[in-house]
Amino acid sequence: EVQLVESGGGLVQPGGSLRLSCEASGLTFNTEWMTWVRQAPGKGLEWVANIKDDGSQKYYVDSVKGRFTISRDNAKNTLYLQMNSLRVEDTAVYYCATHSNWVFGFWGQGTLVTVSS
Amino acid sequence: QSALTQPASVSGSPGQSITISCTGTSSDIGGYNYVSWYQQYPGKAPKLMICDVSKRPSGVSYRFSGSKSGNTASLTISGLQAEDEADYYCASYTSSAQWVFGGGTKLTVL
């Protein structure tokens, strides 16, 4: 059974930083593209970033370019999202998901990030 | 990249069929067959329902089907059941090597 468990969310002030983690099990992690998707309270889904199975390619939504960095450690079966210069509008539940074969196949339960003073 | 356009809400009675549209541009839906649909219950993670425009992943009910015409994709749910009441989102790959979701559609089973 595929399991994705996010962690690292919490309350942070505007301008602050946070690193999210997503630990994967039940899949061959080093063969999977992975992605982060977020959902602001009461709003829809927004794709944030994705990363190739070997980490050699990374893509971001325009609103986080230069502020967020996606990375992975295949030895630890873990995906990361380093978030810097956080803004109030980054407040959301952040989901990690597998992203192979052009679909978001398996999702974690999400971790809440709140940016507020 | 603007979000794909979905109706905010749709409704139907048990046993009926409903269709949710998802409109984009030639740079996303119209340019690629990488359209997928997701079901989300309140407080839960999304679940993949349709991939590659019209393919049903293993375990997804045959009552769910997808299609595409030009820049518009559609999700049809036939034989509506109470358990289908949820939010539905479309997603597409874009020419900018990014991904875009629709704004979401709330399905109410009357």
Side-chain angles (χ1 to χ4, degrees):
Chain A
E1 178 193 7
V2 174
Q3 285 200 336
L4 300 173
V5 180
E6 301 94 336
S7 61
L11 175 64
V12 61
Q13 292 187 338
S17 298
L18 215 53
R19 188 177 84 154
L20 305 184
S21 299
C22 170
E23 187 169 349
S25 60
L27 74 166
T28 307
F29 185 72
N30 61 10
T31 66
E32 296 277 348
W33 280 72
M34 296 295 295
T35 202
W36 289 98
V37 174
R38 67 184 178 183
Q39 186 170 34
K43 302 298 184 182
L45 301 173
E46 180 183 35
W47 173 78
V48 175
N50 67 353
I51 184 169
K52 194 174 182 289
D53 49 12
D54 62 1
S56 62
Q57 296 179 42
K58 305 175 184 181
Y59 301 93
Y60 300 89
V61 68
D62 290 350
S63 60
V64 308
K65 284 181 180 177
R67 300 189 301 122
F68 290 12
T69 302
I70 189 171
S71 63
R72 63 192 297 160
D73 185 336
N74 285 346
K76 295 182 178 179
N77 285 358
T78 302
L79 175 73
Y80 302 101
L81 186 67
Q82 177 67 44
M83 304 185 295
N84 300 330
S85 302
L86 281 160
R87 305 168 180 168
V88 171
E89 54 265 35
D90 295 319
T91 294
V93 173
Y94 285 73
Y95 296 100
C96 70
T98 61
H99 197 187
S100 295
N101 300 316
W102 309 94
V103 294
F104 309 105
F106 295 98
W107 297 66
Q109 287 305 301
T111 186
L112 176 63
V113 172
T114 303
V115 185
S116 174
S117 54
Chain B
Q1 180 69 46
S2 300
L4 305 173
T5 301
Q6 296 181 233
S9 63
V10 298
S11 62
S13 300
Q16 289 185 331
S17 294
I18 63 96
T19 296
I20 300 171
S21 62
C22 171
T23 301
T25 70
S26 58
S27 296
D28 38 67
I29 291 177
Y32 306 92
N33 286 325
Y34 299 132
V35 178
S36 47
W37 289 88
Y38 302 85
Q39 175 190 64
Q40 186 182 36
Y41 293 113
K44 299 297 186 181
K47 174 188 174 185
L48 174 66
M49 303 301 285
I50 294 289
C51 59
D52 299 345
V53 175
S54 60
K55 297 178 182 177
R56 250 188 339 270
S58 175
V60 173
S61 172
Y62 68 92
R63 299 184 298 105
F64 290 81
S65 62
S67 63
K68 189 184 87 166
S69 177
N71 298 337
T72 298
S74 299
L75 172 71
T76 297
I77 308 174
S78 59
L80 210 55
Q81 299 179 0
E83 67 200 49
D84 299 331
E85 186 163 294
D87 294 327
Y88 292 86
Y89 294 90
C90 58
S92 175
Y93 182 68
T94 80
S95 59
S96 303
Q98 298 174 325
W99 290 80
V100 62
F101 282 93
T105 298
K106 180 177 180 59
L107 169 61
T108 301
V109 180
L110 301 171

